[in-house]
Structures are given as structure tokens and as C-alpha cells.
Amino acid sequence: MTKKVTLVTLIALIFFLGLNVTKSNAMMMSKAKMLKIEMFFMHHSLGFPYIFYKFHPGPHWILMHAKSFNLNSSQIKKEKMLTMGMMHNTVKGVMILKKALKEYKMNAMQNNPSISKLLRDVKAVGNAETYLGYEMIPFHIKGYRVLYPSQQSLYHRLAKRNWMKKMQMMHKQMMKKIHMMH
């Protein structure tokens, strides 16, 4: 299990740090797995992408805009460390939630299930989802605090622009789907 966690964490770091992941078919499959983890997170993080992220994109996003922010080497190092910690916690949280969901489903399928087991399972699922909803917040805020005041001002402008572009893209996709239905 720990080898699997380490492998998934490493793959997540490679993917999110923007390193070249197209060199082999094995890495491409890993990228697909990472996309699944990301989608799972988006659906089980209490609205994190839509409620918090739009105002506070995290250290990975800051690294993606390193040139715009004119980050120095110390800031880049700090943002990378925050990204690695965040990714490790996210992968760990996704695995815990998947395990809790599996246990809940297994116990729920029993002909005469134990009420106490089911209640324990539901609490475990809720705790795991809550963890995914809050575990990234400190990394995002700390990533922001690495920036100097002038960089923080730029951060807010870029974050707002980034969110507006995402909303426009989602609107276009929705309109395209509606058009395809008619």
C-alpha cells in the first residue's frame, strides 16, 4: 500500500509540477490515473474548486505563472515544497475516502447490516470528504503569503481573469451541448 501511495504521489508531483510526462506510454497511463484522482477530488471536496479555489488558486497555479510574478529562486523553492505537500495530502485523502466508500458499500450490501457499522461507515466517509474539503486551504494561503505585496496584487488580478476565462469556457461548453441536443 505504501509503495502505491509513493508511486501515485510521485506521479502527481510530476504531473502538477509540469515536468515532461509524455516520454513513455507508462507515464501517459499515469497521467490518466492522475486525471481520475483530480476528478474524484473535484467531486468530493465540498465544492473546493468553485468556492475557494476561484479566489485563492494555490502554489501550483503560482508556479505556472512564475514568470508573470517574477518569482525569485527562494519563492520558487517554497511554492514547489507547498505543491508537493499539498499533492501528497490530496492523494492520501483520496485513497482514504475511496477505502471508506468501499467499506460502506460492502457493509450496506449485507442482508441484515449492522446499524452501528453503517453509522460508523457514513461518519468515516463524511470525515474523509471533509478532509478533502479543507486539506488544501493552508497550502493555498501559505503559497499566497510567499508572494511580496506587489505580487499579491497581481495574483488577485490574474486569479480573477483566470476564473472569468474558466466561466466563459464552461458557458461555451454548455451552449454547445444544448445546441447538440436540438
Side-chain angles (χ1 to χ4, degrees):
M1 182 73 169
T2 57
K3 285 183 181 180
K4 193 174 185 180
V5 172
T6 304
L7 177 64
V8 172
T9 302
L10 178 62
I11 292 166
L13 292 174
I14 290 168
F15 178 74
F16 283 98
L17 291 177
L19 301 175
N20 188 355
V21 294
T22 60
K23 287 190 175 181
S24 72
N25 288 340
M27 290 303 286
M28 288 302 288
M29 285 187 267
S30 298
K31 185 176 179 181
K33 281 185 178 181
M34 274 311 306
L35 290 174
K36 283 184 179 180
I37 289 173
E38 186 177 345
M39 292 304 295
F40 188 87
F41 169 81
M42 289 181 71
H43 288 95
H44 295 282
S45 61
L46 305 177
F48 178 85
Y50 310 105
I51 297 170
F52 184 82
Y53 181 88
K54 73 178 182 179
F55 300 108
H56 307 282
H60 175 255
W61 181 85
I62 292 170
L63 286 170
M64 289 174 41
H65 295 87
K67 285 184 180 181
S68 297
F69 288 119
N70 196 23
L71 298 179
N72 63 39
S73 60
S74 175
Q75 288 175 309
I76 290 171
K77 182 179 178 182
K78 289 174 185 175
E79 297 292 356
K80 283 183 178 181
M81 294 301 291
L82 288 168
T83 299
M84 289 170 45
M86 181 176 64
M87 289 311 305
H88 173 76
N89 287 0
T90 301
V91 170
K92 181 180 88 174
V94 165
M95 294 177 89
I96 290 169
L97 178 55
K98 284 184 174 186
K99 182 180 176 189
L101 284 167
K102 183 178 178 181
E103 185 76 18
Y104 171 54
K105 287 177 185 177
M106 189 175 72
N107 288 329
M109 290 177 9
Q110 302 297 317
N111 287 335
N112 188 14
S114 163
I115 293 171
S116 63
K117 278 186 183 179
L118 289 175
L119 292 176
R120 181 194 69 222
D121 292 343
V122 169
K123 287 179 183 177
V125 169
N127 288 339
E129 280 196 327
T130 301
Y131 176 80
L132 286 177
Y134 73 75
E135 66 88 13
M136 293 182 106
I137 291 171
F139 293 103
H140 282 237
I141 299 299
K142 288 176 183 178
Y144 172 77
R145 290 180 180 165
V146 167
L147 301 174
Y148 300 127
S150 62
Q151 292 169 319
Q152 290 175 350
S153 178
L154 176 61
Y155 170 97
H156 292 293
R157 287 193 312 272
L158 290 176
K160 186 175 182 176
R161 188 179 315 145
N162 182 57
W163 185 252
M164 296 302 284
K165 283 182 183 179
K166 282 186 180 186
M167 294 304 291
Q168 288 171 347
M169 184 177 72
M170 287 171 54
H171 178 73
K172 284 180 184 179
Q173 288 173 346
M174 186 172 60
M175 295 307 288
K176 188 175 181 179
K177 286 179 182 179
I178 290 170
H179 181 43
M180 289 172 59
M181 293 173 76
H182 294 326

